Amino acid sequence: MPMLSRALGLAVALAATISPAIRAQGWIDPIRPVPNGRIERIRSTVQVKVSGRIARVTVEEWFRNVGPTMDEGMYHFPLPGEAVFSSYSLWQGDQELRGEAMDAGQARAIYEAIVRQKRDPALIELAGQGLIRARVFPINPGETRKITLKYAQVLDRAGDAWRFRYLGDRGRQGAPRSFRMEVDSAARFGDPYSPTHQVRTQRSGDHIDVTLADGAAGGDFELLLPLARGLVGLSLVTQHPAGEDGYFMLLLAPGAAAQAEALRRDLVAVVDVSGSMSGEKMAQAKLAVTQLIGSLRESDRFRLVAFSGGVRRYASGWTAATVANRNDAGAWIRSLEAEGGTNIAGALTEAFSEAADAEALGVVVFLTDGQPSVGESNPEQIAERAEQGRGRFRVFAFGVGDDVNTYLLDRLTERARGTTEYVRPGENIERAVGALAAKVASPVLTDLALSASQGIELYDLQPGSLPDLFAGDEMVVFGRYRGTGSAGGERSVVVRGRRNGRTEEFQTALADREGDARYIEQLWAARKAGALSREIRLRGQTRELMDALKQLALRYGILTEYTSYLVQEPNIVARRFAEERTLNAPAPAPRDQAGAGAVAKSAAQDSFSRVLRLDAVVVTGVNAAELDDVRRSRSGINPTQRVGGRLFIWSDSTWTDLSHGDSLRVVSVAPYSEAYFALLRAMPDLGPAAALEPAVLMAGRRASIKIEAGGKTTWRPGELNALVRDFRS
């Protein structure tokens, strides 16, 4: 099997004179190539202090000469293209290095010259960024030098948030990196959110400390600091690839809980007291429901339903959540005993029998550990009747243990603006329900809907049905958009929701961005893959759903249980459909609805459809990739890899895009030629895939592009523009 191409890193892995394992933020390029010379970056730290809208960044990087001879070189450090830099200084120990800052045009020429000379494509993604360059004093064999770079950056604005971006190590074997941000005036900001990495946040007085979680992957790091904006703040980040519809990420950051207390709640708690709940589960369930009722305010109302073989209720109609009534309800809950069967249908009928007030948030919390055994036992019938009788209630379900019917619980919540949470054996029921009680304690907006200004269409939102917004619980929505807007009009996105019987409206500007937020399309695709997988599990396999999931997998490189199967054997699904069932027949419910496997599958799909960070869906680490290749090779499947949001399979000495069809015309381009760089300037998103070696075939809509020796080296007038149109349209 040919060697896999080196993964693209943010900064260059130099030629033989520099260790190929180093894919660092900054790098040292030898002034004179020295045989057997090796300068390695061994560690880096990033410290950021944010005051107002200014971020003061200090980067420390340690380099070691592991070769046998003295060496010196030119230090390069790429700067985020969208940032405005007010100052910088570069030091080696106590000596100041003479440096120069270059704009994107100068930097691009340097990048391309290095790539042509060394045949190393790792700098391609840096085109369009700025560059700091300085000569480094000689480094003796075995010596380690520290370089310190300090600069001040004006933070970018993204709606009601400041946006910080750091160009990091995208390689698989980057040197260790630590990151810390200190933010003053903490009261001005909500909780920091990173769409690229898992972060830890700690508030202390008027300061916020943000650090990367242990084991966080490399790559570009992006952080949003939501500004405190009263009831709801909106932060919108877009990604608009040339020639395609755009992608967007919208962060809704609600204000303090005190501002949300006016919205009343009508809460129904439904608890399973069948015989299987006896013991520790029953004790925890009682405490959980008591805690839930105790979280209500006196302006709220509640109902209590307990079910086993029959159905009991605490009182007829709604009960005001006064202190006395909550205490009495607690005594009723403590008196419950576990016995009998499981009448889920009867319990749901009782739960929905009293409608919630039109101006209140109606919430049903449903807790069970078993499957229906009394009354209606068909999960599909139960779910359909519940949906018909649900009215305006939101439904939050808790499945306790592995014996619950995942199909039924997921059907109950999928259209009810709620969620299903599975409490696995040994986990604490009270803690899980308590987290929900804290979440729904302060509703901010219900019945949310998104729209855009005239001439802009938003579509394919993920999640498709927006949940309600609660104080202290930021919501992240991904979607697509198209259209240019009305002539001379302001382009904006509008969020509408209901509060105390009236409609509230919030607005933020929509501005196109190209190339610097690729994570948005990947997170959107991951969420859509999770939603499609869930739909397949709940509705059954249809040609439309399976084709949609297959196309998503091929286009964005999203691997789930279903997409992995589709990618590895592209033709088997159609044969399976033809052999097993008529495609127009009603889709059956899944056969495996209960058990540990069903619970794990439901939880995994739910996690995928609610993913918030890129590192949760993008596999990193060379060991994981190599293991994946070994597994595929042993199963008789050619090696595959995901690069630049595409899936490639090794075929005929070429990394071939799985979206490529034989009917597409193919245009060949020589690597590192004038035509190659012009192509990547026109379509910079192809940079990561274009670097695959020894040859790569990338699929477009009406044409494919192959990077191979012997391809085009120049373009005729208009030829590149025509290719871009055919590739994109």
Side-chain angles (χ1 to χ4, degrees), residues 355-370:
D357 186 84
E359 295 185 4
L361 175 67
V363 175
V364 171
V365 178
F366 185 81
L367 189 152
T368 182
D369 78 332

Side-chain angles (χ1 to χ4, degrees), residues 345-645:
L348 291 171
T349 298
E350 178 62 32
F352 301 139
S353 63
E354 298 283 346
D357 186 84
E359 295 185 4
L361 175 67
V363 175
V364 171
V365 178
F366 185 81
L367 189 152
T368 182
D369 78 332
Q371 302 186 55
S373 61
V374 176
E376 177 62 65
S377 60
N378 186 312
E380 198 156 5
Q381 290 294 323
I382 296 174
E384 288 182 2
R385 292 177 186 175
E387 181 62 25
Q388 293 171 3
R390 177 174 60 84
R392 299 180 61 252
F393 280 109
R394 278 66 172 151
V395 180
F396 296 87
F398 290 87
V400 182
D402 290 336
D403 293 330
V404 293
N405 189 295
T406 60
Y407 171 77
L408 172 57
L409 296 187
D410 289 345
R411 281 285 305 273
L412 284 176
T413 62
E414 65 166 331
R415 297 177 183 172
R417 296 181 186 264
T419 58
T420 301
E421 183 170 347
Y422 293 98
V423 184
R424 305 303 297 273
E427 295 180 347
N428 191 291
I429 304 171
E430 182 185 3
R431 185 179 300 113
V433 178
L436 174 65
K439 173 180 175 178
V440 301
S442 301
V444 175
L445 289 176
T446 64
D447 304 298
L448 265 64
L450 296 186
S451 61
S453 52
Q454 185 176 3
I456 303 291
E457 179 190 0
L458 306 182
Y459 67 98
D460 228 336
L461 302 184
Q462 302 297 332
S465 177
L466 298 183
D468 300 311
L469 185 63
F470 300 94
D473 187 36
E474 287 87 356
M475 181 190 306
V476 183
V477 181
F478 295 91
R480 306 291 307 273
Y481 70 95
R482 55 186 163 220
T484 58
S486 58
E490 181 180 351
R491 291 155 47 96
S492 61
V493 170
V494 179
V495 177
R496 293 182 177 86
R498 292 190 60 78
R499 179 175 173 77
N500 292 331
R502 67 179 184 274
T503 298
E504 301 275 2
E505 184 175 296
F506 306 87
Q507 181 174 307
T508 188
L510 186 155
D512 288 334
R513 289 180 178 273
E514 292 187 20
D516 69 345
R518 287 290 309 278
Y519 60 83
I520 295 178
E521 59 186 89
Q522 291 174 292
L523 287 172
W524 169 83
R527 282 197 172 190
K528 184 169 183 178
L532 287 171
S533 296
R534 177 187 175 104
E535 187 75 4
I536 289 170
R537 189 173 61 85
L538 294 181
R539 308 295 179 190
Q541 294 180 349
T542 65
R543 183 186 295 277
E544 292 77 12
L545 286 175
M546 298 299 280
D547 283 350
L549 192 53
K550 177 180 179 180
Q551 293 305 315
L552 193 74
L554 297 180
R555 171 64 179 84
Y556 298 96
I558 302 299
L559 295 181
T560 67
E561 174 195 7
Y562 295 109
T563 58
S564 177
Y565 173 74
L566 288 167
V567 168
Q568 291 180 4
E569 308 227 15
N571 298 318
I572 195 170
V573 175
R575 296 199 305 270
R576 180 177 176 187
F577 279 134
E579 294 169 1
E580 292 189 3
R581 59 184 295 268
T582 303
L583 287 174
N584 294 326
R591 286 174 291 185
D592 299 325
Q593 299 181 9
V599 171
K601 182 183 296 184
S602 176
Q605 289 172 353
D606 182 64
S607 175
F608 222 63
S609 62
R610 291 191 290 171
V611 66
L612 294 177
R613 300 187 318 277
L614 186 65
D615 59 0
V617 297
V618 176
V619 176
T620 59
V622 66
N623 292 335
E626 289 176 347
L627 184 63
D628 205 34
D629 289 335
V630 170
R631 187 176 69 251
R632 291 191 178 104
S633 64
R634 289 178 178 174
S635 63
I637 300 168
N638 285 355
T640 63
Q641 61 174 316
R642 291 179 288 171
V643 178

